[in-house]
Amino acid sequence: MQGLNHCPAFCRYYQSATMASQRLGLAEESGPNPGESELAVNPFDGLPFSSRYYELLEQRRALPIWASRFIFLEQLESSPGGVVLVSGEPGSGKSTQIPQWCAEFALARGFQEGRVTVTQPHPLAALSLAMRVADEMDLTLGHEVGYSIPQEDCTGPDTLLRFCWDGLLLQEVASTRGTGAWGVLVLDEAQERSVASDLLQGLLQNARLGNLPGDSRVVVVTDPALEPKLQAFWGNPPTVHVPRRPGTCPTPVYRDTVPTDRVEAACQAVIELCTKEAPGDVLVYLPSEEEILLCCESLSREVGPLALRGPPPRVLPLHPGCGPAVQAAYEDTDLGARKVVVTHWLADFSFSLPSIRHVIDSGLELRSIRAESQVLRPISKCQAEARRLRAKGVPPGSCLCLYPKSFLELEAPLLPTARICEVNLSPVVLLLKRRQIAEPGECHFLDQPAPEALMQALEDLDYLAALDDDGNLSDLGVILSEFPLPPELAKALLASCEFNCVDEMLTLAAMLTAAPGFTHPPLSAEEAALRRALEHTDGDHSSLIQVYEAFIQSGADKAWCQARGLNWAALCQAQKLRGDLLELMQQIELPLSQPAFGSEQNRTDLQKALLSGYFLKVARDTDGTGNYLLLTHKHVAQLSPYCCYRSRRSPTRPPPWVLYHTFSISKDNCLSIVSEIQPQMLVELAPPYFLSNLPPSESRDLLNQLREGMADSSVESESSSTREFGDACVLQ
């Protein structure tokens, strides 16, 4: 934080920090009159406050959390362990006000321990909050207030308050470059139980984490439902309880049965609200991004012709691919048009929208679980309550649940499941090994992962050659841990150096991470034809490369993406990620290769690189009709409707052996992002002990027969070479 010491505004106002803190927000006092406001100076940048600052200050004072301001600052100063817990319901102002008060606290201490870092479980939330808080503090985004999310770092040497995706901060902690200097760390939305948030708390509790600032503070912000568990985990730290919001929660209205078509049911419910002209904006919860997009498309068509007294509603999606466009949900619409925001679990606790008066809840979520699988499941009771609270007000709004009351009572857990207990733990174990925590099972966790899951992660990392004989990181494992990618994808990228297809694997790694293909069915015959032109005969992986290259050739044109049903923001993110990965490979001094996409040799090389990392994700068609048995599990699945093998006009026999990226467990199990492979190549590249450890199946027997045949051929080849060598010696 040396840049802060040379900041003119910092030097000028450091001595008056306490007085400035008082001026920034005494709850009992009103803002200065117009004459005084011209003289009032912002202590963070040394400039006079604008009139907008005072407008927003009045809104801030109306938030429930404002009454807890002095209590919070007192606890932050006096907490014996340096930890403060803040507990309050969604929409009370925690995420916007706590960071500002922490900045005041750090300013009063002269930022001697560093800046304030605020983590969020979703990159989009970090971006949105940084924009809002910079506005409330009357500061410039990217200067005094900034954000760090994947592929975008909007901070500078004078940044005092930084909003950060928790996964990014976890990568910084794992890196040998250290954590950076922060005086206050705010872990927001702890109840969402993201892997990074839980693991950061575990690492902070671990005595062997030695490179954190000395006199730092940690603030954990949560929903009341998780408060008891956090109290026990942190040793009963001081807790600030935020008063409840004024108003009454609506009584939920339940449907008799779960609808067969959730999107249609949600659209009809929105249209009924619009027809009744019930005042207020609408928030719709659906399980997946695909259904969000379908719902938005359907509503945009159907609400236009409605005979309404006012302007037609404005339909807005809210999901991770929206990027900065998410701010549209907070903006006032022209002529008072109603907003209909369609979202999923992303807005369970984040993105509080004060104008929402009506909630339509599907009661389901689509979540990724172990081995890149996805499952459609009921939300928790805590999430259902958080969604209902969105419609709280005077008078109360409405909450329509598209499921029977017994649905959640019988099937839903009380709290959201800790993500660390259900995801693939290979990246977590790789990180713990990088931190030289020898026994991941001994690390502090809010909920300890199952020993079998940790053992499976160690086994998978061993298959990838990331561990040495002693169970520590191998040289390859150290390099894998440097990449912001899943270990298997990082291994495929490193293997591309050996197989001379780095350029193509860089593109594929970026696309698999940021923009994995089409997210909804084609909406017209024209769109379907444009999509087919982007498909590649070698499968979905090569199709992704072809999509990216066409996107770049279009000049990253947004209209080009919309015409093909592609997510423009996600493709832009893939472009940035590709550049970051290339820069990282150059820093590590890994060999690169020239583009050769489309050649026969490159086709083989790309398959080899992919199989080097993804041999754990192979399936075989057992009956020739597209029923695929997963090699490592006894699950049967079909190809995704968006798979290029299914969308071809001339029906062909499904590929016998495929490599897949994700496996979705839902009403119809399906494999997504699929490419045909040759079993001989799998036998050649997978570790021999991996094939031996596969569960019994006809597929395993076929692979072992292939391995024995290839071994016999190798012996015969060696014998032949020996005879030829001996004959040559006789001739000499």
Side-chain angles (χ1 to χ4, degrees):
M1 297 304 294
Q2 292 180 352
L4 291 177
N5 297 326
H6 298 287
C7 173
F10 170 78
C11 296
R12 179 179 177 185
Y13 294 99
Y14 167 58
Q15 298 297 329
S16 59
T18 303
M19 182 174 63
S21 179
Q22 294 174 349
R23 184 169 63 245
L24 278 170
L26 293 176
E28 293 82 11
E29 297 179 4
S30 60
N33 60 45
E36 292 174 336
S37 66
E38 295 175 1
L39 302 176
V41 174
N42 191 327
F44 292 104
D45 65 0
L47 299 175
F49 285 118
S50 68
S51 58
R52 177 163 175 78
Y53 169 81
Y54 295 107
E55 293 174 5
L56 294 176
L57 183 60
E58 290 304 312
Q59 297 178 21
R60 294 170 59 196
R61 285 175 172 152
L63 292 170
I65 196 172
W66 194 263
S68 305
R69 178 176 179 271
F70 286 118
I71 298 174
F72 170 76
L73 289 172
E74 180 182 347
Q75 300 287 15
L76 191 62
E77 178 66 41
S78 61
S79 173
V83 178
V84 176
L85 187 61
V86 179
S87 174
E89 66 181 27
S92 57
K94 305 184 302 296
S95 296
T96 55
Q97 303 313 301
I98 292 294
Q100 298 184 56
W101 300 341
C102 289
E104 293 178 36
F105 171 80
L107 175 65
R109 304 173 84 195
F111 290 99
Q112 293 176 3
E113 300 297 337
R115 61 185 170 186
V116 177
T117 295
V118 184
T119 67
Q120 288 292 326
H122 311 295
L124 200 58
L127 168 63
S128 177
L129 281 169
M131 297 173 70
R132 174 65 184 183
V133 169
D135 194 21
E136 290 188 358
M137 295 180 72
D138 214 15
L139 296 173
T140 304
L141 186 65
H143 290 269
E144 297 83 12
V145 178
Y147 61 88
S148 299
I149 58 176
Q151 292 82 61
E152 191 170 357
D153 182 29
C154 185
T155 62
D158 296 330
T159 297
L160 316 174
L161 176 56
R162 173 197 183 210
F163 289 84
C164 179
W165 176 48
D166 57 13
L168 200 58
L169 184 63
L170 187 61
Q171 292 170 19
E172 294 175 8
V173 169
S175 171
T176 55
R177 292 181 289 274
T179 63
W182 44 261
V184 183
L185 176 62
V186 181
L187 300 173
D188 198 6
E189 308 293 5
Q191 76 283 346
E192 293 213 23
R193 306 304 305 276
S194 71
V195 171
S197 178
D198 275 17
L199 196 50
L200 280 168
Q201 293 185 71
L203 292 175
L204 288 169
Q205 279 278 52
N206 194 294
R208 281 170 285 186
L209 187 62
N211 62 344
L212 291 177
D215 187 24
S216 57
R217 295 289 189 274
V218 175
V219 179
V220 184
V221 184
T222 182
D223 184 86
L226 192 63
E227 181 188 331
K229 182 181 283 288
L230 289 170
Q231 282 276 7
F233 181 78
W234 286 104
N236 296 314
T239 302
V240 177
H241 293 98
V242 181
R244 292 182 175 273
R245 284 191 296 157
T248 305
C249 286
T251 300
V253 176
Y254 296 94
R255 289 287 171 89
D256 294 334
T257 58
V258 176
T260 54
D261 189 333
R262 289 182 296 273
V263 173
E264 181 182 0
C267 289
Q268 288 301 316
V270 171
I271 291 172
E272 287 177 15
L273 281 171
C274 294
T275 305
K276 294 177 182 177
E277 299 190 353
D281 295 339
V282 184
L283 187 60
V284 181
Y285 285 98
L286 291 170
S288 66
E289 185 173 329
E290 174 188 347
E291 289 176 295
I292 291 172
L293 297 174
L294 288 173
C295 184
C296 288
E297 290 285 348
S298 179
L299 283 174
S300 297
R301 291 193 306 268
E302 295 180 25
V303 298
L306 294 178
L308 304 175
R309 283 185 289 183
R314 185 181 180 189
V315 182
L316 300 168
L318 177 55
H319 56 78
C322 291
V326 68
Q327 291 303 115
Y330 292 93
E331 297 170 356
D332 294 331
T333 55
D334 296 334
L335 303 175
R338 183 202 303 269
K339 285 181 291 192
V340 178
V341 181
V342 188
T343 187
H344 56 17
W345 44 260
L346 178 69
D348 281 340
F349 302 101
S350 303
F351 300 97
S352 296
L353 304 169
S355 61
I356 296 297
R357 299 304 309 279
H358 307 282
V359 170
I360 299 168
D361 180 16
S362 67
L364 295 168
E365 63 178 4
L366 184 67
R367 284 286 197 171
S368 297
I369 55 174
R370 289 193 179 93
E372 296 298 327
S373 301
Q374 292 183 313
V375 60
L376 184 68
R377 65 187 185 190
I379 60 174
S380 67
K381 293 180 175 66
C382 177
Q383 290 170 277
E385 178 64 12
R387 294 180 179 188
R388 186 170 71 97
L389 284 171
R390 298 297 194 189
K392 184 177 182 180
V394 181
S398 67
C399 178
L400 172 62
C401 301
L402 301 176
Y403 50 85
K405 187 175 183 179
S406 60
F407 177 70
L408 288 183
E409 291 178 348
L410 297 176
E411 301 186 41
L414 178 62
L415 295 170
T417 305
R419 301 291 293 145
I420 204 164
C421 293
E422 60 182 8
V423 300
N424 178 12
L425 292 181
S426 296
V428 173
V429 173
L430 189 66
L431 180 139
L432 294 178
K433 291 287 185 182
R434 182 60 183 269
R435 292 296 309 172
Q436 297 182 341
I437 300 173
E439 297 296 335
E442 295 178 2
C443 185
H444 290 86
F445 292 106
L446 276 168
D447 287 290
Q448 194 73 20
E452 314 86 71
L454 288 169
M455 289 303 299
Q456 183 63 59
L458 288 167
E459 185 176 271
D460 291 349
L461 290 175
D462 189 44
Y463 287 145
L464 293 171
L467 303 179
D468 60 21
D469 293 339
D470 297 323
N472 300 316
L473 282 190
S474 64
D475 292 340
L476 176 63
V478 172
I479 298 176
L480 292 180
S481 69
E482 282 291 325
F483 285 89
L485 301 171
E488 62 273 16
L489 185 52
K491 175 68 180 294
L493 183 55
L494 290 182
S496 71
C497 299
E498 176 186 352
F499 297 116
N500 298 312
C501 55
V502 176
D503 187 82
E504 292 75 22
M505 264 311 303
L506 278 170
T507 298
L508 191 50
M511 290 292 286
L512 288 172
T513 304
F518 304 104
T519 55
H520 61 86
L523 301 175
S524 64
E526 181 182 1
E527 182 178 313
L530 291 172
R531 287 189 181 190
R532 280 195 297 271
L534 295 172
E535 292 176 355
H536 197 281
T537 55
D538 286 345
D540 294 335
H541 292 85
S542 293
S543 296
L544 286 177
I545 298 175
Q546 197 151 275
V547 166
Y548 178 83
E549 292 189 347
F551 169 71
I552 297 301
Q553 290 173 5
S554 76
D557 183 59
K558 194 170 186 177
W560 182 90
C561 294
Q562 291 174 339
R564 291 157 179 79
L566 291 165
N567 188 320
W568 174 80
L571 282 167
C572 290
Q573 187 178 7
Q575 184 180 11
K576 292 179 182 177
L577 176 57
R578 189 186 188 282
D580 291 346
L581 293 174
L582 175 59
E583 183 180 351
L584 181 56
M585 294 189 74
Q586 291 170 336
Q587 289 175 357
I588 304 175
E589 298 183 354
L590 293 172
L592 305 177
S593 57
Q594 294 298 315
F597 184 62
S599 69
E600 188 63 28
Q601 183 61 48
N602 181 261
R603 175 193 182 200
T604 302
D605 291 340
L606 191 59
Q607 287 182 350
K608 287 183 176 180
L610 273 171
L611 266 175
S612 297
Y614 281 92
F615 53 84
L616 288 161
K617 295 185 177 180
V618 171
R620 171 178 166 265
D621 184 4
T622 57
D623 56 10
T625 63
N627 290 312
Y628 286 90
L629 179 68
L630 275 59
L631 205 58
T632 54
H633 305 87
K634 292 191 176 181
H635 289 295
V636 176
Q638 289 74 40
L639 300 181
S640 162
Y642 310 134
C643 176
C644 66
Y645 296 113
R646 291 191 61 174
S647 60
R648 291 173 181 170
R649 286 184 171 178
S650 54
T652 57
R653 186 180 184 275
W657 292 80
V658 296
L659 177 150
Y660 63 91
H661 186 63
T662 57
F663 167 51
S664 298
I665 304 173
S666 56
K667 61 181 181 181
D668 50 347
N669 297 350
C670 66
L671 306 176
S672 300
I673 311 182
V674 171
S675 293
E676 182 175 7
I677 61 163
Q678 300 303 317
Q680 295 86 350
M681 193 179 290
L682 174 63
V683 172
E684 175 190 346
L685 294 170
Y689 52 92
F690 164 72
L691 298 178
S692 303
N693 292 340
L694 287 173
S697 68
E698 184 181 359
S699 302
R700 187 188 72 168
D701 295 341
L702 289 172
L703 291 174
N704 283 321
Q705 290 172 15
L706 273 175
R707 181 174 64 174
E708 293 169 2
M710 292 170 67
D712 293 341
S713 299
S714 177
V715 171
E716 291 177 6
S717 177
E718 289 178 4
S719 301
S720 175
S721 298
T722 302
R723 288 194 299 271
E724 291 176 4
F725 179 74
D727 293 343
C729 291
V730 172
L731 288 172
Q732 290 176 355

